[in-house]
Amino acid sequence: MSDKLNETERAEALATLKETGWEEVEGRDAIARTFEFANFVEAFGWMARVAIWAEKMNHHPEWENVYKTVKVVLTSHDIGGLSERDVKLALKMEKLAL
Amino acid sequence: MSDKLNETERAEALATLKETGWEEVEGRDAIARTFEFANFVEAFGWMARVAIWAEKMNHHPEWENVYKTVKVVLTSHDIGGLSERDVKLALKMEKLAL
């Protein structure tokens, strides 16, 4: 895959994503966000919907769930950094969390 | 809840769980295990089955998923340590992973 973001694309994508709570991860070329839901059913229900999309997009998150909280890290392991796929998956996660 | 394990119960439960790969967590009264599956669909499919049981048991794991790997930590936050509920959930996870 050669979809690594160039500097301009990266700056644009991060500007958009930061508005919804995404942050760059220190020490890694990755982005992270913590999602909070009303309870476990809502949190895991969202994860299940994301999981199906992630599999369909063939791009999977690193994520951690504790009750109603889900911490997500996105990066593209195959290119060792952020790609267009991370941006797409982040935006899909936002949409599914509305 | 007053289902905190006493020393004997704890030793017995840990002996059983350690046989299947569970370990005590350093610095916390908790147990942990890493489950490996064939791929993301298998990993998340297992998580979905565990999630429904966890909600039914009203006892939820701390867990982290990266592609085909799921790292689980179990403890009972309300009593600040291991309870019978952790043992039950750990055994249910084992059964669902077979």
Side-chain angles (χ1 to χ4, degrees):
Chain A
M1 302 261 184
S2 56
D3 58 349
K4 191 161 188 168
L5 298 175
N6 67 34
E7 277 185 42
T8 313
E9 290 167 338
R10 189 192 166 81
E12 280 175 7
L14 285 175
T16 305
L17 290 170
K18 280 180 179 174
E19 281 174 26
T20 57
W22 290 85
E23 296 179 345
E24 290 174 84
V25 177
E26 216 175 297
R28 286 183 71 184
D29 189 14
I31 51 173
R33 185 178 161 189
T34 299
F35 290 85
E36 288 278 345
F37 298 90
N39 51 47
F40 177 75
V41 173
E42 294 299 316
F44 197 85
W46 175 81
M47 289 177 77
R49 289 182 292 142
V50 170
I52 293 170
W53 277 103
E55 181 65 18
K56 187 168 165 168
M57 295 162 84
N58 195 26
H59 191 56
H60 305 85
E62 300 176 18
W63 50 0
E64 189 186 337
N65 161 242
V66 181
Y67 197 55
K68 63 181 183 174
T69 301
V70 186
K71 291 184 188 175
V72 178
V73 174
L74 298 180
T75 190
S76 298
H77 298 99
D78 54 349
I79 60 162
L82 283 180
S83 77
E84 183 60 29
R85 287 166 285 150
D86 298 303
V87 179
K88 281 188 185 157
L89 185 53
L91 293 174
K92 177 60 79 178
M93 285 180 169
E94 290 301 323
K95 197 171 170 186
L96 293 173
L98 290 180
Chain B
M1 301 261 182
S2 56
D3 58 350
K4 191 161 187 166
L5 298 174
N6 68 35
E7 276 186 41
T8 313
E9 290 166 338
R10 189 191 165 82
E12 281 174 8
L14 285 175
T16 305
L17 290 171
K18 280 178 179 174
E19 282 173 26
T20 56
W22 291 85
E23 295 181 345
E24 291 174 85
V25 178
E26 214 174 298
R28 286 183 72 184
D29 189 12
I31 51 173
R33 185 179 161 186
T34 299
F35 291 85
E36 289 277 345
F37 298 89
N39 53 44
F40 178 75
V41 172
E42 294 300 314
F44 198 85
W46 175 80
M47 288 177 78
R49 290 180 291 142
V50 169
I52 294 170
W53 277 103
E55 181 65 19
K56 185 168 168 171
M57 295 161 88
N58 195 27
H59 191 55
H60 305 85
E62 299 175 19
W63 50 3
E64 188 187 338
N65 161 241
V66 180
Y67 196 58
K68 64 180 185 175
T69 301
V70 186
K71 291 184 187 175
V72 178
V73 174
L74 298 179
T75 189
S76 298
H77 298 98
D78 54 347
I79 61 162
L82 282 181
S83 78
E84 183 59 29
R85 286 166 287 150
D86 297 304
V87 179
K88 281 187 185 158
L89 185 53
L91 294 174
K92 177 59 77 177
M93 285 179 168
E94 289 302 324
K95 198 172 168 185
L96 293 174
L98 290 180

